[in-house]
DNA sequence: ATCAAAAGGTTAAACGATTTAGAACGTTTA
DNA sequence: TAAACGTTCTAAATCGTTTAACCTTTTGAT
């Protein structure tokens, strides 16, 4: 029993294929009576509608949106920030009957999907520079989130200002301050940055965070040596542990450690507590993102709350609307118990 | 500047379209020399390969696998069990150059994707029975995880035995025992089950867990009243809180509470601790799944550890291999500090 | 020298729809 | 009466490939 095609149906009903197609897609092209007659007959004989694969080819539209996640999907999916973002995206896509294709940002190329997806939402800078280039040159809509791509609409919070504020709240003049940063330089493992060249400094949001920290430090008259800035290649606990150990063992130990994500900060906090260090008495810690777990820990984390769900929803909305203006979303300072 | 097609390229190179196609898809159909000549020429003139949309139609194969998640994507993506599962799936798909389409299990129908995806991985029973039926009747491969679909290969652990073991470890004769269950009955909100008809009891894995609990209880000579079994509609903290409050306020309070997931158990634990109840002194708690957070809490949770990543990898592998035999994966009992 | 099989290539028919241009027809309007 | 028009439907081109069938030329074995 082969699958029915438009042609089969047309033959059976004694009308042209165009009419059947119109019955499904363009109600204004035929009389209402004929339309319901056709639709009923289709249901009767078990034709569920035009074949989607053929539609994709012919219409050049698939209703599939690719969500390009920085790095491999491996890390991204379990990252609470990324996964709530996905949640937001999926919600809006679903409302609009679109489908969600997860795409790894560490892929070589988008050639294997660009022909059939309707657009791209890009979450975080792809590991692979070639991918960014391809995304920018290809003709379909792109929305970027937490990073920037020339000429494409972006969704961000004001990372510089937010980081400035949280840092300012945490530090006092004379403090020794360390920073646990994220993707500041191109390195596959956790390390101090020393004088390594900064990565994509122009368009990277973590560099904006660094800018914000530095502004607050400067105002307080504090200097940070590059070897007190750590770099993590991805936002995952496994990388954070190593940095946490190193920074906590340095002597003299910092008074304040500014972390570019809650994941990092929480790992650090746990590490510190297990070493018997009093937080915030002996050590103050700030995070970034405002994930749920950060509010559940004792002491709970001082951080910058941003709504990942909202980001996701906004990015999907933006992509579907075709608007080209970038969006800056609000954030909220949460001065928890770690400063 | 329009996009190049196979035809354009063929004309330019003075060969047939079939040869170009073969150069890309079937190296054995033409001489190696000609092949590299063609491939080089394509690179030169900027033809990146056959249009994927056309390929999908013609070949009837898209390299897209739909991951059907029980319920809406909203909850699933942030659930650590589900997201590590996705991680496993995505890893194997990526190794095999397949793409991942996230599909909501609370959808009405799969007609909008069935024409172009290569197969389905179904994680948890879809909310919508019609969807299960459609999945089963449609012709493409299906692999089910944590639920069963007649005649389709499934991936599960031995839920009955695992639940039996963890319950047995937690209870002593004479205990008062409550159960916080998951999807046992069809209800949109948290409630006690009383005498409500069980949902999909045959094929549901949470009913297997219930069976396991009951076996252990029976052996210990303990009876559970239906009104001491709660049902949560989805595995999310928001539903767990309500059940936790209710069960902890009942008097006399249970000595042991068996939870069908760690998410539920952790919410209960937090609730109990904040009420000043000593765990495990006054109350013992067991979970299910073995999520990371369960190991991080104080006291850490007694639970059944199963590897979601492995489940994900295995399910993708199974789908791609075309094998039809179901798989039973191992689990590990972790007798933490809550019993 | 002969012949079957293999190699390397081409032609043309699918794959299953959408959509433009225009035919057929009844109804107004000048 | 005929031109003009709106409506409803059809024919045919198109989307960009893949692949079965076919035709030549080489190759290898006898």
């Amino acid at each position: 029993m082969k699958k029915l095609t438009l042609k089969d149906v047309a033959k059976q009903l004694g009308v042209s294929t165009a009419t059947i197609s119109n019955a499904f897609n363009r109600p204004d092209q035929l009389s209402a009576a004929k339309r319901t007659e056709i639709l009923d007959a289709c249901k009767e004989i078990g034709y569920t509608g035009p074949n989607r694969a053929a539609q994709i080819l012919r219409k050049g539209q698939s209703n599939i949106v690719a969500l390009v996640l920085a790095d491999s999907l491996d890390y991204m999916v379990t990252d609470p920030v990324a996964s709530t973002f996905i949640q937001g995206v999926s919600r809006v896509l679903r409302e609009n009957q679109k489908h969600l294709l997860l795409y790894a940002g560490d892929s070589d190329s988008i050639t294997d999907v660009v022909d059939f997806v309707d657009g791209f939402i890009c979450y975080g800078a792809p590991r692979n520079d070639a991918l960014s280039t391809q995304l920018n040159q290809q003709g379909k809509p792109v929305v970027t989130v937490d990073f920037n791509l020339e000429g494409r609409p972006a969704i961000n919070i004001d990372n510089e200002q937010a980081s400035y504020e949280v840092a300012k709240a945490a530090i006092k003049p004379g403090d020794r301050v360390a920073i646990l940063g994220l993707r500041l330089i191109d390195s596959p493992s956790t390390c101090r940055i020393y004088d390594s060249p900064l990565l994509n400094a122009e368009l990277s949001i973590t560099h904006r965070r660094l800018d914000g920290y530095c502004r607050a430090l400067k105002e307080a008259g504090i200097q940070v040596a590059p070897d007190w800035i750590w770099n993590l290649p991805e936002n995952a606990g496994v990388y954070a542990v190593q940095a946490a150990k190193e920074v906590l063992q340095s002597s003299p130990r910092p008074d304040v450690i500014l972390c570019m994500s809650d994941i990092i900060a929480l790992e650090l906090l746990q590490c510190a507590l297990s070493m018997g260090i009093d937080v915030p008495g002996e050590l103050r810690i700030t995070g970034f993102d405002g994930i749920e777990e950060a509010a559940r820990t004792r002491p709970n984390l001082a951080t910058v709350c941003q709504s990942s769900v909202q980001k996701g929803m906004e990015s999907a909305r933006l992509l579907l609307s075709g608007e080209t203006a970038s969006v800056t979303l609000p954030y909220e300072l949460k001065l928890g118990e770690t400063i």
Side-chain angles (χ1 to χ4, degrees), chain A residues 191-265:
Chain A
C191 62
R192 307 185 187 208
I193 70 171
Y194 297 104
D195 302 320
S196 315
L198 297 185
L199 185 71
N200 293 325
E202 286 275 319
L203 300 174
S204 153
I205 59 148
T206 52
H207 282 91
R208 294 295 77 69
R209 291 184 191 171
L210 188 57
D211 293 343
Y213 289 160
C214 288
R215 176 152 65 98
L217 292 172
K218 201 170 176 185
E219 276 187 22
I222 301 172
Q223 278 225 331
V224 177
D227 64 331
W228 264 32
I229 305 181
W230 271 257
N231 181 68
L232 278 63
E234 301 192 18
N235 185 29
V238 57
Y239 297 109
V241 169
Q242 193 192 335
K245 282 186 184 151
E246 285 182 28
V247 71
L248 291 176
Q249 277 163 9
S250 51
S251 98
R253 199 203 296 138
D255 303 303
V256 179
I257 304 179
L258 307 172
C259 303
M260 287 201 188
S261 85
D262 286 353
I263 300 271
I264 302 173

Side-chain angles (χ1 to χ4, degrees), chain A residues 68-71 103-113 120 122 124-138 147 149:
Chain A
V68 181
L69 295 171
D71 307 313
Y103 199 82
D106 59 347
S107 303
D108 301 331
S109 148
I110 51 167
T111 48
D112 47 353
V113 298
F120 297 87
C122 226
R127 247 283 164 274
N128 192 327
D129 271 356
L131 200 65
S132 299
T133 311
Q134 283 183 45
L135 276 167
N136 215 4
Q137 289 175 349
Q138 138 285 2
F147 91 111
L149 203 55

Side-chain angles (χ1 to χ4, degrees), chain A residues 8-21:
Chain A
D8 301 331
V9 176
K11 196 174 289 176
Q12 276 199 43
L13 301 195
V15 295
S16 77
T17 61
T19 303
I20 312 276
S21 173

Side-chain angles (χ1 to χ4, degrees), chain A residues 20 32 51 72 97 177 194 271 280 334:
Chain A
I20 312 276
N51 179 296
S72 66
Q97 324 245 57
V177 178
Y194 297 104
C271 212
K334 184 168 170 212

Side-chain angles (χ1 to χ4, degrees), chain A residues 18 26 65 71 95-97 101 106 144 160-161 175 189 192 242 258 268 281-282 292-294 301 303 335:
Chain A
R26 303 193 298 184
V65 170
D71 307 313
E95 278 166 11
N96 291 277
Q97 324 245 57
L101 185 95
D106 59 347
T144 66
E160 199 274 345
Q161 177 66 19
D175 276 342
S189 59
R192 307 185 187 208
Q242 193 192 335
L258 307 172
L268 174 68
E282 300 174 84
E292 277 184 31
E293 201 182 343
L301 193 63
T303 191
L335 304 177

